[in-house]
Amino acid sequence: MTVHADELASLQSLLPSGTNVAYMIGQPFSATEEITNDIISQQNTELLLTPASTQKLLTALTAKIYLTDKYTFNTSLHGNIKQQSISDTEFNFTGDPTFTRDDLRGMLKQLKAKGITRINGDISLNQSRFNGYNWGNGQVWNDQAVCYATQASALVINGNCVLGNLKRSADLEKATIYIPDYEPLSLTSQVDIMTKEQQQAQFCDLEVTRHPDNNYTLFGCITPSKRNLPLSFAISEPTTYFSAVLKAELSHAKIKFTGDIVENQKTVKSAIVLNHKSVPLAAIITEMMKESDNLIADILFKTIGAEYFQQAGNYRNGAKAMLEILADKGISLNSSLIADGSGLSRHNLISAETMFSVLTYTIKHDDALQLLAAMPIAGVDGTLQYRRGLLTKQLTGNIVAKTGSLKGLSNLVGIVKTQKNHRVPFVLMVSGYNPLPNDADQPRKASALTQYSAAFFNMLVTEY
C-alpha cells in the first residue's frame, strides 16, 4: 500500500510554490472490518495549522459525547399571571440557534390562549446563559457584518441574520437595496455602478459599515448585472432587533404593552409561564455539519462550557471543557490551540495527526455517535455538493467529509470509498495557498487547488 506515498507527495507540484500540504491517510478497511490506527501515507502531520471549519468535527463530537443527541435548547417566558394580565415578564434565552420569529409568534399565541391581553410593566430579556464576547478571539473584524459570522449570543432569532438583495442594473447610477418591510433594519446604499475597468482603476469594491441600532451603509462600487446580488446582514445588536420584532408581534397578537424592554444578566428566578423547546441536538448537529453553520457551532461550544462547568458559557470555558471531555476519551488536544467551536478564529491551531485521532475515534464509535451520516457527501449535499474537483463520476457519492475553508487554506477530513469497496480515512490540510492570477490570454481552466484535489482523491479512489 505504501508504494503510492511518493506519488501522493509528488502531486504538490500542482500547487503554487510556497503552499503547505499536510495529510494523513489511514489503512483501508472494509464494511465488515474495524478501522485501525495504521497509517499508509503521511506528510507534515505534526505541523500546527488552521483547521477552519473542520474544527466543527471536534465541536460535534464533544457535543454528542457530553450533551447527547436528545439535548434541547429552551426559550422560556416567565412572569406572574393575574386575571388577564402578566407582570414581571421575562424571556430567558439559552442560545437556541433554531429559534425563529414564527416560534416567537407561537409563544405569544399560547399566551393569548391563556387569556392574557395585557403585559404590565417592563419586559426583561435575560441572556445570563452566556457571558464574554459574542465573537471568538481571532475572528476577522470585517466579517462581522455578514451572516456566516453573526454573533453567537444567548439571544438568537432567525439566525441573527437578515436577507436582502442589491439591484445593480445598467440603467442605474447607484445600486438600490431591498429588504422586507417587516425587518427592523435600516440600510443605505452609496454604491456606484461602473464597469470592471473603472472598478479596477479606482481600486474599488463593495463594502459595508455598521452603525448603532442595526443601521448599515453599503458603499464602494459594483459592476452592472441584470441579476440582483443576494445580500445577508448579520444583526449588529440582537437585543435591539429582538425588541422591535417583539413589539410588532405583541401588536399582531393584540396583547397590550406600554412598558420598556430591558436587558438582564441575572439568573431567572420567577415561574415559567411558557417554554419553547428546540428540535433535539442530533438534528441541529446535522444542520451544522452539512451546511457548516458557524452560529450553531459557536453556540454549541459555549453551551458545552456552560453545562460542563455549571456557569455562564463563553469561549474560554468551552475550550477547556472540550479539552477535558475529549481527553477522557483518549483524544489529546494538548498541542492544539482551541479558540472557538466554528473554526472562524485564526487563533485555532491543530495538526493533521490530532485531527486524524478525532476522525478515527468518530469512525470507531459511529454506531453510537451517528456522526458520519451528518457529514457532507461529495456531489450530493451540504458543502460538498458543488465542490470543484470532486464532482467526477468516480468521486461523486464516494467522499464523506467535513470541509474547512478560509482565505488561503482548504481542508477536508473524512472517508473515501474506493473502487475496491474499501473505506480510507484521511485528513488533508492545504494552507498558504495563494493562486497565481489567471493569464488573460489563456482559456479559463480549473484552479491549481481544484486540479490538486481531483488528482489526490482520484488516486485514493482508484489505488486503494
Side-chain angles (χ1 to χ4, degrees), residues 345-380:
S345 173
R346 288 284 184 168
H347 289 183
N348 291 309
L349 290 172
I350 195 167
S351 67
E353 185 176 48
T354 298
M355 190 65 79
F356 192 81
S357 69
V358 174
L359 175 65
T360 54
Y361 182 92
T362 300
I363 296 170
K364 286 178 180 178
H365 298 86
D366 194 55
D367 285 348
L369 294 170
Q370 296 292 299
L371 188 48
L372 295 179
M375 294 167 73
I377 303 169
V380 176

Side-chain angles (χ1 to χ4, degrees), residues 65-359:
I65 291 170
Y66 194 75
L67 301 178
T68 76
D69 279 346
K70 294 181 180 180
Y71 184 89
T72 56
F73 291 89
N74 295 303
T75 303
S76 52
L77 178 64
H78 301 243
N80 298 311
I81 293 178
K82 187 175 182 180
Q83 296 179 338
Q84 292 181 298
S85 66
I86 182 172
S87 59
D88 300 321
T89 311
E90 186 166 17
F91 280 91
N92 186 38
F93 300 96
T94 61
D96 180 359
T98 70
F99 190 74
T100 65
R101 187 168 184 160
D102 284 344
D103 294 330
L104 174 63
R105 180 170 290 189
M107 290 182 74
L108 296 181
K109 187 176 180 180
Q110 290 179 56
L111 190 63
K112 190 68 181 290
K114 290 179 179 289
I116 302 301
T117 59
R118 181 182 181 88
I119 295 176
N120 293 327
D122 296 339
I123 297 175
S124 179
L125 306 181
N126 193 296
Q127 301 182 62
S128 60
R129 179 62 165 173
F130 300 152
N131 62 21
Y133 294 138
N134 285 341
W135 292 283
N137 287 326
Q139 284 191 218
V140 179
W141 69 267
N142 58 332
D143 283 346
Q144 292 178 358
V146 289
C147 285
Y148 67 79
T150 194
Q151 299 182 54
S153 56
L155 193 167
V156 178
I157 186 165
N158 289 347
N160 286 351
C161 171
V162 171
L163 302 179
N165 62 60
L166 192 69
K167 186 177 181 181
R168 47 175 175 158
S169 53
D171 60 314
L172 298 173
E173 289 186 7
K174 298 276 188 182
T176 57
I177 299 176
Y178 166 79
I179 60 165
D181 291 338
Y182 56 78
E183 292 288 7
L185 263 70
S186 175
L187 298 169
T188 304
S189 172
Q190 299 175 1
V191 180
D192 295 316
I193 298 173
M194 60 180 63
T195 66
K196 187 174 182 179
E197 291 73 24
Q198 290 173 319
Q199 190 180 41
Q200 290 175 343
Q202 296 183 30
F203 299 94
C204 182
D205 206 348
L206 186 64
E207 298 180 343
V208 61
T209 298
R210 298 179 299 149
H211 309 290
D213 298 324
N214 294 313
N215 293 331
Y216 306 77
T217 300
L218 275 177
F219 62 99
C221 57
I222 195 170
T223 55
S225 174
K226 293 180 181 179
R227 294 184 177 182
N228 293 345
L229 179 70
L231 298 173
S232 69
F233 295 92
I235 295 167
S236 295
E237 298 176 12
T239 301
T240 303
Y241 177 84
F242 182 86
S243 298
V245 169
L246 176 58
K247 287 178 180 178
E249 291 300 329
L250 286 169
S251 176
H252 180 269
K254 294 182 170 55
I255 297 175
K256 191 172 182 180
F257 169 65
T258 57
D260 294 325
I261 298 176
V262 298
E263 293 186 73
N264 185 14
Q265 286 291 128
K266 296 180 180 179
T267 303
V268 180
K269 294 181 179 178
S270 54
I272 292 180
V273 175
L274 296 170
N275 185 53
H276 172 82
K277 280 186 176 292
S278 72
V279 296
L281 186 66
I284 294 174
I285 285 178
T286 296
E287 173 73 10
M288 177 187 79
M289 294 292 281
K290 290 286 188 183
E291 304 303 327
S292 204
D293 190 296
N294 295 315
L295 175 65
I296 293 175
D298 281 336
I299 282 177
L300 285 183
F301 192 71
K302 290 181 173 183
T303 301
I304 291 164
E307 293 286 354
Y308 190 82
F309 290 106
Q310 289 297 297
Q311 59 183 242
N314 54 47
Y315 288 102
R316 292 177 295 277
N317 58 27
K320 181 65 173 175
M322 176 183 283
L323 189 146
E324 293 188 6
I325 292 164
L326 294 185
D328 188 55
K329 301 300 179 181
I331 302 170
S332 174
L333 299 180
N334 288 336
S335 65
S336 307
L337 199 163
I338 306 297
D340 65 13
S342 64
L344 278 176
S345 173
R346 288 284 184 168
H347 289 183
N348 291 309
L349 290 172
I350 195 167
S351 67
E353 185 176 48
T354 298
M355 190 65 79
F356 192 81
S357 69
V358 174
L359 175 65

